[in-house]
Amino acid sequence: MEPWLAVLSGLFFSAGIYLLLAPHLLRALIGFALFGNAVNLLLFLSGRVTRDAPPIIGEAETALKAGAANPLPQALILTAIVISFSFFAFLLVLAWRAFRDLGAEEVDGLDRAEPRDRPAPPGGY
């Protein structure tokens, strides 16, 4: 594993978690995107980054060469990028609707959607 890419992945994780804990919706969404990119980079690093040998099995071989990159994490990353982008787009629409309908820019303002005249559930929340 490349050490500087591992450090970059750790920075993405820490910045993503810090922004996810922010009270503002837009910062939390950016934190979610950073966190998703950190996970993708971590998956990419697990499959080897170096180009010692291509991940191709020849006719006379039965397994990959010793220095070959594993193609499975790369395929998983392609799927994860599509899923995280669609989930980010869904969260962006939810945040926009919350801002438009409730006027809430912060997470604390989202309780305006809760009905005030109904009793609280047993045990509260």
Side-chain angles (χ1 to χ4, degrees):
M1 183 184 318
E2 300 286 332
W4 62 276
L5 285 175
V7 170
L8 182 66
S9 178
L11 288 174
F12 277 0
F13 270 114
S14 60
I17 289 173
Y18 176 76
L19 288 173
L20 273 173
L21 296 175
H24 300 284
L25 288 174
L26 189 58
R27 288 182 186 170
L29 288 176
I30 293 171
F32 174 77
L34 274 176
F35 194 77
N37 287 333
V39 170
N40 290 340
L41 184 60
L42 187 66
L43 278 174
F44 183 65
L45 290 175
S46 71
R48 187 175 310 227
V49 181
T50 59
R51 296 188 214 171
D52 293 342
I56 299 172
I57 300 175
E59 291 181 17
E61 300 171 350
T62 58
L64 285 175
K65 295 178 184 175
N70 189 359
L72 182 63
Q74 296 171 8
L76 289 174
I77 290 169
L78 288 175
T79 306
I81 288 170
V82 172
I83 292 171
S84 65
F85 179 74
S86 62
F87 191 60
F88 177 73
F90 175 71
L91 289 178
L92 191 63
V93 169
L94 277 180
W96 178 69
R97 288 286 309 259
F99 177 71
R100 189 186 71 181
D101 294 346
L102 301 173
E105 296 177 8
E106 296 185 355
V107 178
D108 294 337
L110 294 177
D111 63 348
R112 293 182 205 156
E114 296 290 327
R116 299 283 181 205
D117 55 347
R118 293 195 334 203
Y125 59 91

